Amino acid sequence: KEAREGSEASESEDETSGKPAASKKKPHKKLSKRTIIVIAVIAAVLVICAIIAGVQQQRAEEERQQEIAAEKAAEAAREKKEKEHKEYVDNLNQAVYLMILGASESETSCSLTIKVWNAAVFDEWDETTSPYKASDFNDALAKLMQSKEYQDRAAQIETYSQSVSSTMGDLTNPPDGCKEAYETLKSMYRDYSSLASMATNPSGSLQTYSSSYRQTDDDVLEDYNLIKTQIPNSSTPSSDGNSYDD
């Protein structure tokens, strides 16, 4: 009876103090060694997968950047090639244009030389040749070559020839599509140089000079007609925008 009363008193004291009676805790169940190993393996696999995915993503990004760089390099190379090709064609046209101008001046000079020479040999003077009249053809030709008209034209021919020579120096390495035109240009340059020399330094006899002039003039024209069919299209056919036929 005293024991029961003691128990009741104890319970009464707990209720009075508001503290719950102590409850018994269940012990935690320990993970087995096998479970721990499985968890560790799974975690390791996940880490490895994450690393592999990261590496693959990095490689993919590197490959993409390499492709972009390669495309940019190819585009830059293509643009450079197109620019060089256009510049070459422009220089090619410029060389032809200058030779045509020089050849035109040379034709005028050679034609007048032949007229004066012929007039002096056969003593048949006209309005064009009379300013250079002399009893000997050498004296008549000397008068012609000392005239302002002749010297101005010779200076102009020399200017064209120097410009052509400078432009030819830029054309020694023709790109694809221009090699055939360059070979014709070299032939035209040789013929033009001969014609220009005949215009500024006549020599030989009236017959040989006249014959050589006609042949050389025909050669220049033949070269020109051929090269017109060989030069690729260009946006600037000549330095001033005019066509050669003008």
Side-chain angles (χ1 to χ4, degrees):
K1 181 178 178 181
E2 289 177 359
R4 185 169 62 251
E5 287 177 356
S7 175
E8 288 175 358
S10 178
E11 288 177 2
S12 176
E13 287 177 0
D14 289 339
E15 289 175 0
T16 303
S17 63
K19 294 181 180 179
S23 60
K24 295 182 178 179
K25 293 183 179 179
K26 294 182 179 180
H28 290 292
K29 186 178 180 180
K30 286 187 175 182
L31 296 176
S32 66
K33 187 176 181 181
R34 180 179 180 182
T35 301
I36 293 173
I37 293 174
V38 170
I39 292 173
V41 170
I42 293 174
V45 170
L46 292 175
V47 170
I48 293 172
C49 289
I51 293 173
I52 292 174
V55 171
Q56 289 177 339
Q57 184 177 1
Q58 184 178 358
R59 286 181 179 176
E61 179 63 20
E62 290 175 353
E63 290 177 357
R64 190 178 73 86
Q65 292 300 327
Q66 289 174 356
E67 289 177 358
I68 293 174
E71 289 175 358
K72 288 182 178 180
E75 178 65 17
R78 184 185 64 79
E79 290 178 354
K80 180 182 178 182
K81 186 176 181 180
E82 288 180 354
K83 181 181 178 182
E84 291 175 348
H85 186 274
K86 184 181 182 302
E87 288 177 352
Y88 189 92
V89 171
D90 288 346
N91 286 332
L92 198 59
N93 277 311
Q94 182 71 356
V96 173
Y97 180 64
L98 290 170
M99 280 192 278
I100 290 300
L101 292 178
S104 178
E105 294 291 344
S106 297
E107 287 173 348
T108 301
S109 185
C110 289
S111 295
L112 182 57
T113 297
I114 291 173
K115 286 181 180 180
V116 171
W117 203 335
N118 188 76
V121 170
F122 297 101
D123 195 23
E124 297 176 353
W125 305 92
D126 58 19
E127 185 178 351
T128 301
T129 59
S130 58
Y132 316 106
K133 187 175 181 178
S135 57
D136 182 80
F137 73 87
N138 286 317
D139 294 334
L141 291 177
K143 281 186 177 182
L144 170 64
M145 287 184 280
Q146 291 169 5
S147 68
K148 185 178 185 304
E149 178 185 3
Y150 182 91
Q151 290 184 0
D152 287 348
R153 184 170 292 113
Q156 185 63 65
I157 293 170
E158 179 62 22
T159 298
Y160 286 136
S161 296
Q162 290 178 357
S163 297
V164 172
S165 178
S166 176
T167 305
M168 290 293 292
D170 297 328
L171 297 169
T172 55
N173 295 308
D176 292 340
C178 297
K179 294 179 180 180
E180 189 177 27
Y182 178 61
E183 292 301 317
T184 302
L185 183 73
K186 289 192 293 183
S187 175
M188 184 176 182
Y189 181 55
R190 286 192 297 268
D191 293 333
Y192 163 74
S193 297
S194 296
L195 182 63
S197 179
M198 293 176 66
T200 56
N201 297 293
S203 60
S205 67
L206 173 60
Q207 183 178 2
T208 59
Y209 181 82
S210 299
S211 177
S212 295
Y213 161 67
R214 285 191 294 270
Q215 181 61 56
T216 305
D217 194 41
D218 288 344
D219 290 341
V220 172
L221 181 59
E222 184 178 348
D223 294 330
Y224 171 63
N225 288 332
L226 177 59
I227 203 169
K228 283 197 302 182
T229 67
Q230 298 172 331
I231 297 179
N233 293 330
S234 174
S235 59
T236 53
S238 67
S239 61
D240 61 356
N242 296 324
S243 66
Y244 304 131
D245 292 335
D246 293 340

